[in-house]
Amino acid sequence: MRLPSPLQSKQTATIQRYVMPGRGGVRRYMKLLGGFLYLPDREAVHFGRALATDARRITDPELEFLLSVEWRTRLTAAWLIGLDRRTQFREHVGRLLLKSELAHAGSGYCFALARFAEPRDTEILTTYLDYYLPRPDCHYDQDHALGALLHLDVHHAAQYLTPNGLWSQSTWRDMDPAECKANMDERCAFATAAMSNKLPEWAAGRRKT
């Protein structure tokens, strides 16, 4: 990862501390794209514990900084925000999701909203889907957004899944909504286990596909 320049040494240290743990090309931000779900049990537990520790440790100003840089830092910040349920970032995360400025970061925003699990999060996700599903030129994070919405409120999600609904007309029409939900359910189950020190139980019961 090439760090933005110029950065103050403290900002560089924040990126190294929270975004870059790991070895070689398999850094934390890469695992947060979903690969951590398929790690061997021992590695997944170690990864989750370290992530939970950092979610509690990172300060709000450090999160604000990470949300201002690029997709790797934004993805990581969104995960840390979601893990610790820092709902004070809800509107900021929602604005970033709707802007969809950078690839990959949107999956983290959707995860954070799913973790907050309040009516306002459903509103943000439906606003996003209403805007982007009708646009075939925007193959963004609609799968993660639908998964988050299904995780939160199946009733609200149903409007998109009718035979002639927006999902069937979108670029994601070949993606099974049930799989979108399962993917988000698993991420949220991992987060709950990480923050409650029950990762071994999660690892034993998780999907093995």
Side-chain angles (χ1 to χ4, degrees), residues 55-72:
R56 296 186 181 98
R57 173 180 176 175
I58 193 169
T59 66
D60 283 359
E62 287 173 328
L63 286 168
E64 289 170 1
F65 163 68
L66 292 179
L67 288 173
S68 72
V69 188
E70 44 82 82
W71 74 264
R72 300 165 186 84

Side-chain angles (χ1 to χ4, degrees), residues 137-159:
D137 58 316
C138 296
H139 192 78
Y140 293 162
D141 298 291
Q142 292 96 316
D143 58 330
H144 297 290
L146 182 69
L149 186 59
L150 284 165
H151 176 81
L152 294 178
D153 192 326
V154 173
H155 173 73
H156 273 83
Q159 63 184 303

Side-chain angles (χ1 to χ4, degrees), residues 104-164:
H104 305 302
S107 65
Y109 307 148
C110 293
F111 162 76
L113 295 170
R115 279 282 290 170
F116 295 160
E118 295 179 1
R120 176 60 181 147
D121 307 300
T122 297
E123 293 175 3
I124 293 170
L125 290 164
T126 55
T127 298
Y128 173 85
L129 290 169
D130 286 342
Y131 183 74
Y132 283 107
L133 282 179
R135 297 184 57 180
D137 58 316
C138 296
H139 192 78
Y140 293 162
D141 298 291
Q142 292 96 316
D143 58 330
H144 297 290
L146 182 69
L149 186 59
L150 284 165
H151 176 81
L152 294 178
D153 192 326
V154 173
H155 173 73
H156 273 83
Q159 63 184 303
Y160 302 106
L161 304 180
T162 59
N164 294 313

